[in-house]
Amino acid sequence: ETGVTQTPRHLVMGMTNKKSLKCEQHLGHNAMYWYKQSAKKPLELMFVYSLEERVENNSVPSRFSPECPNSSHLFLHLHTLQPEDSALYLCASSQGGYGNTIYFGEGSWLTVV
Amino acid sequence: QKEVEQNSGPLSVPEGAIASLNCTYSDRGSQSFFWYRQYSGKSPELIMFIYSNGDKEDGRFTAQLNKASQYVSLLIRDSQPSDSATYLCAVTHNNQAGTALIFGKGTTLSVSS
């Protein structure tokens, strides 16, 4: 079992659907992140939570809504997505805040049809 | 716009050779530098991090940092076919929200047997 687990691993959703991605970290870290990875683009940071408070939102469209109920769990709620949102969504965690080593989950492959 | 530049490759080396992966960054204030390996269809996994100028060795891997030249590299000795992957360079960057981790697009390495 990896230190950061994500579910589902694969998701296909229509543009009018509402779905959620879930992330759980078992490393005792106090910061969690959502990244987006699209083909031929660098990893893009979407959201940062430190001690369960959102500390960064890199101009992500409101159709992506994060939730961090505690330091071990992170959700990404999805609604009315566009086909260009199809990507690999990676959850990560670190101890001591951003700038320290981050560890990634296996990712959730999202396809919007 | 703070950037991390990597040659996308592919970099092809024969088995047993030394693979040299390079990365340049634009933010002179960057303090921490990371190398991640990503196999096709998988999430990035941490290989090494380096904070100080000079070399840092871990098994077959050596990270080299030259802050004056804003350059960081990863050497892989005795390259194996299992090293074939995309290697991501990541650099910390301080902004108003705190410290961000900026990724390059990655260099694809192919090791032939």
Side-chain angles (χ1 to χ4, degrees), chain A residues 72-86:
Chain A
S72 299
H73 293 86
L74 185 65
F75 295 89
L76 187 63
H77 304 300
L78 315 169
H79 64 98
T80 60
L81 295 190
Q82 303 299 311
E84 59 264 29
D85 296 322
S86 299

Side-chain angles (χ1 to χ4, degrees), chain A residues 10-30:
Chain A
H10 299 270
L11 177 63
V12 179
M13 60 185 289
M15 290 189 284
T16 59
N17 291 161
K18 288 185 180 182
K19 298 285 184 183
S20 296
L21 305 180
K22 178 183 175 182
C23 176
E24 182 175 1
Q25 60 96 0
H26 313 276
L27 301 170
H29 290 166
N30 59 10

Side-chain angles (χ1 to χ4, degrees), chain A residues 9-113:
Chain A
R9 296 294 313 281
H10 299 270
L11 177 63
V12 179
M13 60 185 289
M15 290 189 284
T16 59
N17 291 161
K18 288 185 180 182
K19 298 285 184 183
S20 296
L21 305 180
K22 178 183 175 182
C23 176
E24 182 175 1
Q25 60 96 0
H26 313 276
L27 301 170
H29 290 166
N30 59 10
M32 298 186 75
Y33 316 86
W34 281 115
Y35 279 87
K36 176 184 178 183
Q37 189 173 37
S38 305
K40 301 190 185 300
K41 285 187 174 182
L43 277 166
E44 300 172 60
L45 176 65
M46 300 176 73
F47 300 103
V48 180
Y49 277 84
S50 179
L51 298 174
E52 300 157 42
E53 289 190 17
R54 187 192 306 181
V55 295
E56 187 160 337
N57 171 359
N58 282 344
S59 302
V60 178
S62 59
R63 57 185 183 269
F64 295 92
S65 175
E67 178 189 1
C68 187
N70 55 60
S71 61
S72 299
H73 293 86
L74 185 65
F75 295 89
L76 187 63
H77 304 300
L78 315 169
H79 64 98
T80 60
L81 295 190
Q82 303 299 311
E84 59 264 29
D85 296 322
S86 299
L88 176 65
Y89 289 85
L90 291 161
C91 175
S93 70
S94 71
Q95 178 61 31
Y98 214 27
N100 292 311
T101 304
I102 64 171
Y103 296 90
F104 289 93
E106 291 294 313
S108 295
W109 287 96
L110 173 66
T111 303
V112 181
V113 297

Side-chain angles (χ1 to χ4, degrees), chain A residues 37 42 90 98-99 101-102 104-105, chain B residues 34 36 38 43 46 99-101:
Chain A
Q37 189 173 37
L90 291 161
Y98 214 27
T101 304
I102 64 171
F104 289 93
Chain B
F34 304 84
Y36 285 83
Q38 187 173 24
S43 62
L46 179 70
T99 303
L101 195 61

Side-chain angles (χ1 to χ4, degrees), chain B residues 17-60:
Chain B
I18 295 176
S20 178
L21 304 161
N22 304 315
C23 172
T24 59
Y25 59 95
S26 61
D27 183 5
R28 283 197 170 275
S30 296
Q31 296 295 319
S32 304
F33 307 85
F34 304 84
W35 283 100
Y36 285 83
R37 176 176 62 199
Q38 187 173 24
Y39 292 111
S40 180
K42 300 292 186 181
S43 62
E45 56 179 327
L46 179 70
I47 298 177
M48 292 188 71
F49 58 86
I50 186 168
Y51 302 139
S52 303
N53 276 328
D55 295 359
K56 179 181 179 182
E57 186 174 321
D58 183 1
R60 295 187 297 113

Side-chain angles (χ1 to χ4, degrees), chain B residues 12-20 60 76-80 83 111:
Chain B
S12 298
V13 300
E15 184 175 358
I18 295 176
S20 178
R60 295 187 297 113
I76 306 175
R77 290 182 299 281
D78 188 25
S79 295
Q80 302 296 310
D83 294 326
V111 181

